[in-house]
Amino acid sequence: MPGHDHSHDHDHSELSEIELRVRALETLLTEKGYIDPPALDELIETYETKIGPKNGAQVVARAWSNPAYRERLMSDATAAIAEFGFTGRQGEHMVAVENTAETHNMVVCTLCSCYPWTVLGLPPVWYKSPPYRSRAVRDPRGVLAEFGVTLPDGKEIRVWDSTAEVRYLVIPERPAGTDGWNEDLLAELVTRDSMIGTGLALDPAQKETAA
């Protein structure tokens, strides 16, 4: 959580009910010696900034710009991702699926919330919610529309169900107008949602607006 602070000196009225409950539980566990606040902060920081979407963006950017790497990624995603040093929990069995002009891929976990932490960090709340988990399979086009993604009627949507055995990384389509861009610039166009399939990569104009 950004700005995670154990000092407790701020006004608790600014916190939601669930945040207050989490804070109370954290305080109790700290007092009993079950958790170490600095270690907890470091863990959260690691998953939010290091083991996070920036990792996946690097993978996608290299796949866009390096045909040989793309081939390795599509044939053995786990090994190709490990070339960056991105390995570990929930990243052991990865499969890359590629969006094209004809096909759009989208990922869900219908049973729980299996998610590739090594390349996407912590899963968003909506990914774990029952409505997304059920509707993504039954009405993927409708769900995408709620995320602001409207696809052509003739474009096929493939929904991939993550499990404890297999987790997926969507390789979004490379935006037009990025010929000659290096990997660092390309990575800035890759969003977390585009690697789940509930969003698209930013185009250069969107990147300038976001900046």
Side-chain angles (χ1 to χ4, degrees), residues 103-140:
T103 304
H104 181 89
N105 296 283
M106 182 171 157
V107 181
V108 66
C109 178
T110 56
L111 293 179
C112 51
S113 58
C114 293
Y115 191 78
W117 290 17
T118 53
V119 287
L120 294 186
L122 297 173
V125 173
W126 55 260
Y127 183 85
K128 299 181 286 184
S129 69
Y132 176 77
R133 286 158 46 197
S134 61
R135 292 188 56 231
V137 174
R138 293 186 290 103
D139 182 23

mmCIF file of all heavy atoms in Angstrom, residues 103-140:
data_model
loop_
_atom_site.group_PDB
_atom_site.id
_atom_site.type_symbol
_atom_site.label_atom_id
_atom_site.label_comp_id
_atom_site.label_asym_id
_atom_site.label_seq_id
_atom_site.Cartn_x
_atom_site.Cartn_y
_atom_site.Cartn_z
ATOM 1 N N THR A 103 -7.590 -11.593 -32.824
ATOM 2 C CA THR A 103 -7.899 -12.236 -31.545
ATOM 3 C C THR A 103 -7.490 -11.358 -30.367
ATOM 4 O O THR A 103 -6.413 -10.755 -30.361
ATOM 5 C CB THR A 103 -7.157 -13.586 -31.435
ATOM 6 O OG1 THR A 103 -7.497 -14.406 -32.557
ATOM 7 C CG2 THR A 103 -7.539 -14.310 -30.151
ATOM 8 N N HIS A 104 -8.364 -11.324 -29.361
ATOM 9 C CA HIS A 104 -8.044 -10.636 -28.101
ATOM 10 C C HIS A 104 -8.130 -11.657 -26.976
ATOM 11 O O HIS A 104 -9.104 -12.409 -26.865
ATOM 12 C CB HIS A 104 -9.042 -9.501 -27.837
ATOM 13 C CG HIS A 104 -8.751 -8.733 -26.577
ATOM 14 N ND1 HIS A 104 -7.925 -7.635 -26.555
ATOM 15 C CD2 HIS A 104 -9.162 -8.924 -25.289
ATOM 16 C CE1 HIS A 104 -7.841 -7.168 -25.316
ATOM 17 N NE2 HIS A 104 -8.577 -7.936 -24.530
ATOM 18 N N ASN A 105 -7.112 -11.694 -26.135
ATOM 19 C CA ASN A 105 -7.057 -12.637 -25.025
ATOM 20 C C ASN A 105 -7.350 -11.947 -23.700
ATOM 21 O O ASN A 105 -6.999 -10.781 -23.498
ATOM 22 C CB ASN A 105 -5.673 -13.284 -24.966
ATOM 23 C CG ASN A 105 -5.369 -14.110 -26.194
ATOM 24 O OD1 ASN A 105 -5.856 -15.216 -26.352
ATOM 25 N ND2 ASN A 105 -4.557 -13.551 -27.092
ATOM 26 N N MET A 106 -7.953 -12.693 -22.795
ATOM 27 C CA MET A 106 -8.335 -12.151 -21.491
ATOM 28 C C MET A 106 -8.163 -13.265 -20.461
ATOM 29 O O MET A 106 -8.445 -14.439 -20.734
ATOM 30 C CB MET A 106 -9.792 -11.699 -21.559
ATOM 31 C CG MET A 106 -10.370 -11.070 -20.336
ATOM 32 S SD MET A 106 -12.009 -10.402 -20.789
ATOM 33 C CE MET A 106 -12.793 -10.366 -19.192
ATOM 34 N N VAL A 107 -7.685 -12.910 -19.273
ATOM 35 C CA VAL A 107 -7.364 -13.905 -18.255
ATOM 36 C C VAL A 107 -8.269 -13.749 -17.041
ATOM 37 O O VAL A 107 -8.596 -12.633 -16.625
ATOM 38 C CB VAL A 107 -5.893 -13.787 -17.814
ATOM 39 C CG1 VAL A 107 -5.559 -14.841 -16.769
ATOM 40 C CG2 VAL A 107 -4.961 -13.908 -19.011
ATOM 41 N N VAL A 108 -8.661 -14.884 -16.474
ATOM 42 C CA VAL A 108 -9.471 -14.911 -15.260
ATOM 43 C C VAL A 108 -9.058 -16.134 -14.458
ATOM 44 O O VAL A 108 -8.391 -17.034 -14.993
ATOM 45 C CB VAL A 108 -10.980 -14.984 -15.621
ATOM 46 C CG1 VAL A 108 -11.302 -16.313 -16.294
ATOM 47 C CG2 VAL A 108 -11.869 -14.788 -14.400
ATOM 48 N N CYS A 109 -9.396 -16.156 -13.201
ATOM 49 C CA CYS A 109 -9.270 -17.376 -12.410
ATOM 50 C C CYS A 109 -10.644 -17.634 -11.815
ATOM 51 O O CYS A 109 -11.068 -16.940 -10.885
ATOM 52 C CB CYS A 109 -8.224 -17.224 -11.305
ATOM 53 S SG CYS A 109 -8.075 -18.711 -10.276
ATOM 54 N N THR A 110 -11.358 -18.595 -12.361
ATOM 55 C CA THR A 110 -12.746 -18.801 -11.953
ATOM 56 C C THR A 110 -12.870 -19.453 -10.581
ATOM 57 O O THR A 110 -13.908 -19.308 -9.925
ATOM 58 C CB THR A 110 -13.488 -19.672 -12.989
ATOM 59 O OG1 THR A 110 -12.786 -20.913 -13.153
ATOM 60 C CG2 THR A 110 -13.578 -18.958 -14.328
ATOM 61 N N LEU A 111 -11.853 -20.175 -10.122
ATOM 62 C CA LEU A 111 -11.954 -20.884 -8.856
ATOM 63 C C LEU A 111 -11.505 -20.055 -7.660
ATOM 64 O O LEU A 111 -12.063 -20.152 -6.579
ATOM 65 C CB LEU A 111 -11.153 -22.185 -8.915
ATOM 66 C CG LEU A 111 -11.679 -23.251 -9.875
ATOM 67 C CD1 LEU A 111 -10.769 -24.473 -9.841
ATOM 68 C CD2 LEU A 111 -13.097 -23.650 -9.500
ATOM 69 N N CYS A 112 -10.461 -19.248 -7.852
ATOM 70 C CA CYS A 112 -9.958 -18.456 -6.720
ATOM 71 C C CYS A 112 -9.363 -17.162 -7.247
ATOM 72 O O CYS A 112 -10.084 -16.318 -7.743
ATOM 73 C CB CYS A 112 -8.969 -19.253 -5.887
ATOM 74 S SG CYS A 112 -7.648 -20.029 -6.853
ATOM 75 N N SER A 113 -8.037 -17.015 -7.178
ATOM 76 C CA SER A 113 -7.419 -15.791 -7.682
ATOM 77 C C SER A 113 -5.979 -16.049 -8.107
ATOM 78 O O SER A 113 -5.094 -15.250 -7.831
ATOM 79 C CB SER A 113 -7.464 -14.686 -6.623
ATOM 80 O OG SER A 113 -6.815 -15.107 -5.432
ATOM 81 N N CYS A 114 -5.737 -17.172 -8.775
ATOM 82 C CA CYS A 114 -4.391 -17.479 -9.259
ATOM 83 C C CYS A 114 -3.934 -16.361 -10.192
ATOM 84 O O CYS A 114 -4.665 -15.944 -11.091
ATOM 85 C CB CYS A 114 -4.380 -18.819 -9.992
ATOM 86 S SG CYS A 114 -4.712 -20.231 -8.911
ATOM 87 N N TYR A 115 -2.719 -15.897 -9.979
ATOM 88 C CA TYR A 115 -2.263 -14.665 -10.619
ATOM 89 C C TYR A 115 -0.737 -14.698 -10.694
ATOM 90 O O TYR A 115 -0.075 -15.147 -9.744
ATOM 91 C CB TYR A 115 -2.729 -13.502 -9.754
ATOM 92 C CG TYR A 115 -2.596 -12.110 -10.323
ATOM 93 C CD1 TYR A 115 -3.500 -11.625 -11.262
ATOM 94 C CD2 TYR A 115 -1.591 -11.256 -9.885
ATOM 95 C CE1 TYR A 115 -3.407 -10.330 -11.745
ATOM 96 C CE2 TYR A 115 -1.484 -9.963 -10.370
ATOM 97 C CZ TYR A 115 -2.405 -9.508 -11.299
ATOM 98 O OH TYR A 115 -2.306 -8.220 -11.776
ATOM 99 N N PRO A 116 -0.136 -14.231 -11.792
ATOM 100 C CA PRO A 116 1.325 -14.299 -11.940
ATOM 101 C C PRO A 116 2.049 -13.169 -11.210
ATOM 102 O O PRO A 116 2.424 -12.157 -11.788
ATOM 103 C CB PRO A 116 1.505 -14.193 -13.463
ATOM 104 C CG PRO A 116 0.361 -13.335 -13.903
ATOM 105 C CD PRO A 116 -0.793 -13.722 -13.010
ATOM 106 N N TRP A 117 2.247 -13.341 -9.926
ATOM 107 C CA TRP A 117 2.842 -12.289 -9.102
ATOM 108 C C TRP A 117 4.192 -11.816 -9.620
ATOM 109 O O TRP A 117 4.523 -10.643 -9.513
ATOM 110 C CB TRP A 117 3.023 -12.801 -7.669
ATOM 111 C CG TRP A 117 1.764 -13.004 -6.907
ATOM 112 C CD1 TRP A 117 0.492 -13.090 -7.407
ATOM 113 C CD2 TRP A 117 1.647 -13.162 -5.489
ATOM 114 N NE1 TRP A 117 -0.410 -13.296 -6.387
ATOM 115 C CE2 TRP A 117 0.282 -13.351 -5.196
ATOM 116 C CE3 TRP A 117 2.568 -13.179 -4.450
ATOM 117 C CZ2 TRP A 117 -0.190 -13.535 -3.902
ATOM 118 C CZ3 TRP A 117 2.104 -13.364 -3.154
ATOM 119 C CH2 TRP A 117 0.736 -13.540 -2.892
ATOM 120 N N THR A 118 4.991 -12.709 -10.172
ATOM 121 C CA THR A 118 6.354 -12.344 -10.566
ATOM 122 C C THR A 118 6.382 -11.301 -11.674
ATOM 123 O O THR A 118 7.356 -10.544 -11.785
ATOM 124 C CB THR A 118 7.138 -13.578 -11.027
ATOM 125 O OG1 THR A 118 6.385 -14.261 -12.033
ATOM 126 C CG2 THR A 118 7.404 -14.508 -9.870
ATOM 127 N N VAL A 119 5.337 -11.255 -12.503
ATOM 128 C CA VAL A 119 5.321 -10.280 -13.597
ATOM 129 C C VAL A 119 4.238 -9.220 -13.455
ATOM 130 O O VAL A 119 4.293 -8.195 -14.124
ATOM 131 C CB VAL A 119 5.170 -10.974 -14.972
ATOM 132 C CG1 VAL A 119 6.464 -11.674 -15.366
ATOM 133 C CG2 VAL A 119 4.007 -11.944 -14.989
ATOM 134 N N LEU A 120 3.269 -9.428 -12.582
ATOM 135 C CA LEU A 120 2.190 -8.445 -12.431
ATOM 136 C C LEU A 120 2.031 -7.931 -11.003
ATOM 137 O O LEU A 120 1.189 -7.063 -10.756
ATOM 138 C CB LEU A 120 0.850 -9.036 -12.911
ATOM 139 C CG LEU A 120 0.754 -9.343 -14.402
ATOM 140 C CD1 LEU A 120 -0.664 -9.790 -14.759
ATOM 141 C CD2 LEU A 120 1.151 -8.141 -15.251
ATOM 142 N N GLY A 121 2.785 -8.452 -10.061
ATOM 143 C CA GLY A 121 2.674 -7.974 -8.691
ATOM 144 C C GLY A 121 1.424 -8.509 -8.007
ATOM 145 O O GLY A 121 0.952 -9.606 -8.309
ATOM 146 N N LEU A 122 0.887 -7.721 -7.084
ATOM 147 C CA LEU A 122 -0.304 -8.144 -6.351
ATOM 148 C C LEU A 122 -1.543 -8.016 -7.224
ATOM 149 O O LEU A 122 -1.686 -7.037 -7.958
ATOM 150 C CB LEU A 122 -0.460 -7.281 -5.091
ATOM 151 C CG LEU A 122 0.667 -7.385 -4.066
ATOM 152 C CD1 LEU A 122 0.464 -6.363 -2.955
ATOM 153 C CD2 LEU A 122 0.747 -8.782 -3.493
ATOM 154 N N PRO A 123 -2.467 -8.974 -7.155
ATOM 155 C CA PRO A 123 -3.670 -8.897 -7.989
ATOM 156 C C PRO A 123 -4.594 -7.770 -7.549
ATOM 157 O O PRO A 123 -4.727 -7.504 -6.352
ATOM 158 C CB PRO A 123 -4.339 -10.266 -7.775
ATOM 159 C CG PRO A 123 -3.841 -10.721 -6.445
ATOM 160 C CD PRO A 123 -2.434 -10.197 -6.334
ATOM 161 N N PRO A 124 -5.231 -7.097 -8.503
ATOM 162 C CA PRO A 124 -6.198 -6.061 -8.129
ATOM 163 C C PRO A 124 -7.416 -6.676 -7.464
ATOM 164 O O PRO A 124 -7.736 -7.857 -7.681
ATOM 165 C CB PRO A 124 -6.567 -5.414 -9.473
ATOM 166 C CG PRO A 124 -6.270 -6.475 -10.483
ATOM 167 C CD PRO A 124 -5.093 -7.247 -9.961
ATOM 168 N N VAL A 125 -8.122 -5.884 -6.681
ATOM 169 C CA VAL A 125 -9.285 -6.389 -5.946
ATOM 170 C C VAL A 125 -10.324 -6.956 -6.899
ATOM 171 O O VAL A 125 -10.916 -8.017 -6.646
ATOM 172 C CB VAL A 125 -9.894 -5.266 -5.079
ATOM 173 C CG1 VAL A 125 -11.204 -5.733 -4.450
ATOM 174 C CG2 VAL A 125 -8.918 -4.840 -3.986
ATOM 175 N N TRP A 126 -10.560 -6.276 -8.019
ATOM 176 C CA TRP A 126 -11.614 -6.725 -8.925
ATOM 177 C C TRP A 126 -11.305 -8.093 -9.536
ATOM 178 O O TRP A 126 -12.218 -8.852 -9.866
ATOM 179 C CB TRP A 126 -11.873 -5.703 -10.030
ATOM 180 C CG TRP A 126 -10.679 -5.298 -10.844
ATOM 181 C CD1 TRP A 126 -9.931 -4.166 -10.699
ATOM 182 C CD2 TRP A 126 -10.091 -6.015 -11.941
ATOM 183 N NE1 TRP A 126 -8.911 -4.125 -11.624
ATOM 184 C CE2 TRP A 126 -8.987 -5.247 -12.403
ATOM 185 C CE3 TRP A 126 -10.380 -7.218 -12.583
ATOM 186 C CZ2 TRP A 126 -8.185 -5.652 -13.465
ATOM 187 C CZ3 TRP A 126 -9.579 -7.624 -13.642
ATOM 188 C CH2 TRP A 126 -8.504 -6.843 -14.073
ATOM 189 N N TYR A 127 -10.009 -8.428 -9.687
ATOM 190 C CA TYR A 127 -9.645 -9.709 -10.267
ATOM 191 C C TYR A 127 -10.102 -10.860 -9.377
ATOM 192 O O TYR A 127 -10.432 -11.950 -9.869
ATOM 193 C CB TYR A 127 -8.129 -9.768 -10.457
ATOM 194 C CG TYR A 127 -7.630 -11.031 -11.135
ATOM 195 C CD1 TYR A 127 -7.613 -11.135 -12.516
ATOM 196 C CD2 TYR A 127 -7.155 -12.107 -10.384
ATOM 197 C CE1 TYR A 127 -7.143 -12.286 -13.138
ATOM 198 C CE2 TYR A 127 -6.685 -13.253 -10.992
ATOM 199 C CZ TYR A 127 -6.691 -13.341 -12.373
ATOM 200 O OH TYR A 127 -6.231 -14.495 -12.989
ATOM 201 N N LYS A 128 -10.141 -10.619 -8.062
ATOM 202 C CA LYS A 128 -10.528 -11.650 -7.102
ATOM 203 C C LYS A 128 -12.029 -11.663 -6.827
ATOM 204 O O LYS A 128 -12.508 -12.549 -6.121
ATOM 205 C CB LYS A 128 -9.773 -11.426 -5.789
ATOM 206 C CG LYS A 128 -8.262 -11.501 -5.940
ATOM 207 C CD LYS A 128 -7.548 -11.299 -4.620
ATOM 208 C CE LYS A 128 -7.582 -9.847 -4.174
ATOM 209 N NZ LYS A 128 -6.810 -9.622 -2.926
ATOM 210 N N SER A 129 -12.762 -10.714 -7.361
ATOM 211 C CA SER A 129 -14.179 -10.586 -7.032
ATOM 212 C C SER A 129 -15.031 -11.624 -7.766
ATOM 213 O O SER A 129 -14.765 -11.941 -8.932
ATOM 214 C CB SER A 129 -14.679 -9.181 -7.381
ATOM 215 O OG SER A 129 -14.712 -9.013 -8.785
ATOM 216 N N PRO A 130 -16.053 -12.172 -7.112
ATOM 217 C CA PRO A 130 -16.938 -13.152 -7.765
ATOM 218 C C PRO A 130 -17.582 -12.639 -9.061
ATOM 219 O O PRO A 130 -17.677 -13.411 -10.024
ATOM 220 C CB PRO A 130 -17.987 -13.448 -6.683
ATOM 221 C CG PRO A 130 -17.261 -13.209 -5.395
ATOM 222 C CD PRO A 130 -16.365 -12.032 -5.672
ATOM 223 N N PRO A 131 -18.022 -11.374 -9.132
ATOM 224 C CA PRO A 131 -18.632 -10.921 -10.389
ATOM 225 C C PRO A 131 -17.679 -11.022 -11.584
ATOM 226 O O PRO A 131 -18.075 -11.473 -12.660
ATOM 227 C CB PRO A 131 -19.009 -9.457 -10.094
ATOM 228 C CG PRO A 131 -19.211 -9.427 -8.624
ATOM 229 C CD PRO A 131 -18.173 -10.356 -8.059
ATOM 230 N N TYR A 132 -16.433 -10.614 -11.395
ATOM 231 C CA TYR A 132 -15.481 -10.714 -12.509
ATOM 232 C C TYR A 132 -15.205 -12.164 -12.847
ATOM 233 O O TYR A 132 -15.193 -12.554 -14.024
ATOM 234 C CB TYR A 132 -14.171 -10.006 -12.165
ATOM 235 C CG TYR A 132 -13.119 -10.167 -13.245
ATOM 236 C CD1 TYR A 132 -13.188 -9.416 -14.416
ATOM 237 C CD2 TYR A 132 -12.084 -11.093 -13.112
ATOM 238 C CE1 TYR A 132 -12.250 -9.576 -15.430
ATOM 239 C CE2 TYR A 132 -11.138 -11.260 -14.117
ATOM 240 C CZ TYR A 132 -11.220 -10.498 -15.271
ATOM 241 O OH TYR A 132 -10.295 -10.675 -16.278
ATOM 242 N N ARG A 133 -14.995 -12.985 -11.835
ATOM 243 C CA ARG A 133 -14.644 -14.379 -12.066
ATOM 244 C C ARG A 133 -15.743 -15.137 -12.800
ATOM 245 O O ARG A 133 -15.460 -16.056 -13.578
ATOM 246 C CB ARG A 133 -14.323 -15.062 -10.732
ATOM 247 C CG ARG A 133 -12.976 -14.633 -10.171
ATOM 248 C CD ARG A 133 -12.862 -14.853 -8.671
ATOM 249 N NE ARG A 133 -13.337 -16.162 -8.268
ATOM 250 C CZ ARG A 133 -13.645 -16.489 -7.021
ATOM 251 N NH1 ARG A 133 -13.540 -15.584 -6.058
ATOM 252 N NH2 ARG A 133 -14.060 -17.688 -6.727
ATOM 253 N N SER A 134 -16.985 -14.777 -12.579
ATOM 254 C CA SER A 134 -18.078 -15.478 -13.251
ATOM 255 C C SER A 134 -18.427 -14.849 -14.601
ATOM 256 O O SER A 134 -18.615 -15.550 -15.590
ATOM 257 C CB SER A 134 -19.320 -15.497 -12.351
ATOM 258 O OG SER A 134 -19.755 -14.175 -12.067
ATOM 259 N N ARG A 135 -18.455 -13.544 -14.663
ATOM 260 C CA ARG A 135 -18.904 -12.873 -15.882
ATOM 261 C C ARG A 135 -17.848 -12.838 -16.976
ATOM 262 O O ARG A 135 -18.177 -12.747 -18.161
ATOM 263 C CB ARG A 135 -19.360 -11.450 -15.566
ATOM 264 C CG ARG A 135 -20.632 -11.392 -14.724
ATOM 265 C CD ARG A 135 -21.151 -9.972 -14.589
ATOM 266 N NE ARG A 135 -21.363 -9.371 -15.882
ATOM 267 C CZ ARG A 135 -20.885 -8.181 -16.255
ATOM 268 N NH1 ARG A 135 -20.164 -7.465 -15.418
ATOM 269 N NH2 ARG A 135 -21.136 -7.699 -17.455
ATOM 270 N N ALA A 136 -16.584 -12.907 -16.598
ATOM 271 C CA ALA A 136 -15.529 -12.876 -17.610
ATOM 272 C C ALA A 136 -15.659 -14.045 -18.577
ATOM 273 O O ALA A 136 -15.334 -13.926 -19.763
ATOM 274 C CB ALA A 136 -14.157 -12.905 -16.940
ATOM 275 N N VAL A 137 -16.155 -15.163 -18.079
ATOM 276 C CA VAL A 137 -16.335 -16.341 -18.927
ATOM 277 C C VAL A 137 -17.645 -16.263 -19.697
ATOM 278 O O VAL A 137 -17.700 -16.568 -20.892
ATOM 279 C CB VAL A 137 -16.304 -17.624 -18.063
ATOM 280 C CG1 VAL A 137 -16.634 -18.845 -18.910
ATOM 281 C CG2 VAL A 137 -14.939 -17.779 -17.406
ATOM 282 N N ARG A 138 -18.701 -15.831 -19.032
ATOM 283 C CA ARG A 138 -20.032 -15.818 -19.655
ATOM 284 C C ARG A 138 -20.225 -14.640 -20.609
ATOM 285 O O ARG A 138 -20.888 -14.771 -21.638
ATOM 286 C CB ARG A 138 -21.122 -15.769 -18.575
ATOM 287 C CG ARG A 138 -21.219 -17.013 -17.720
ATOM 288 C CD ARG A 138 -22.395 -16.961 -16.785
ATOM 289 N NE ARG A 138 -22.211 -15.977 -15.711
ATOM 290 C CZ ARG A 138 -22.780 -14.781 -15.663
ATOM 291 N NH1 ARG A 138 -23.578 -14.391 -16.652
ATOM 292 N NH2 ARG A 138 -22.564 -13.964 -14.640
ATOM 293 N N ASP A 139 -19.672 -13.498 -20.275
ATOM 294 C CA ASP A 139 -19.898 -12.295 -21.072
ATOM 295 C C ASP A 139 -18.613 -11.469 -21.164
ATOM 296 O O ASP A 139 -18.556 -10.344 -20.673
ATOM 297 C CB ASP A 139 -21.023 -11.471 -20.439
ATOM 298 C CG ASP A 139 -21.360 -10.216 -21.226
ATOM 299 O OD1 ASP A 139 -21.072 -10.173 -22.454
ATOM 300 O OD2 ASP A 139 -21.892 -9.258 -20.615
ATOM 301 N N PRO A 140 -17.579 -12.009 -21.795
ATOM 302 C CA PRO A 140 -16.309 -11.280 -21.836
ATOM 303 C C PRO A 140 -16.410 -9.935 -22.555
ATOM 304 O O PRO A 140 -15.789 -8.958 -22.133
ATOM 305 C CB PRO A 140 -15.373 -12.240 -22.568
ATOM 306 C CG PRO A 140 -16.272 -13.146 -23.342
ATOM 307 C CD PRO A 140 -17.494 -13.308 -22.501
#
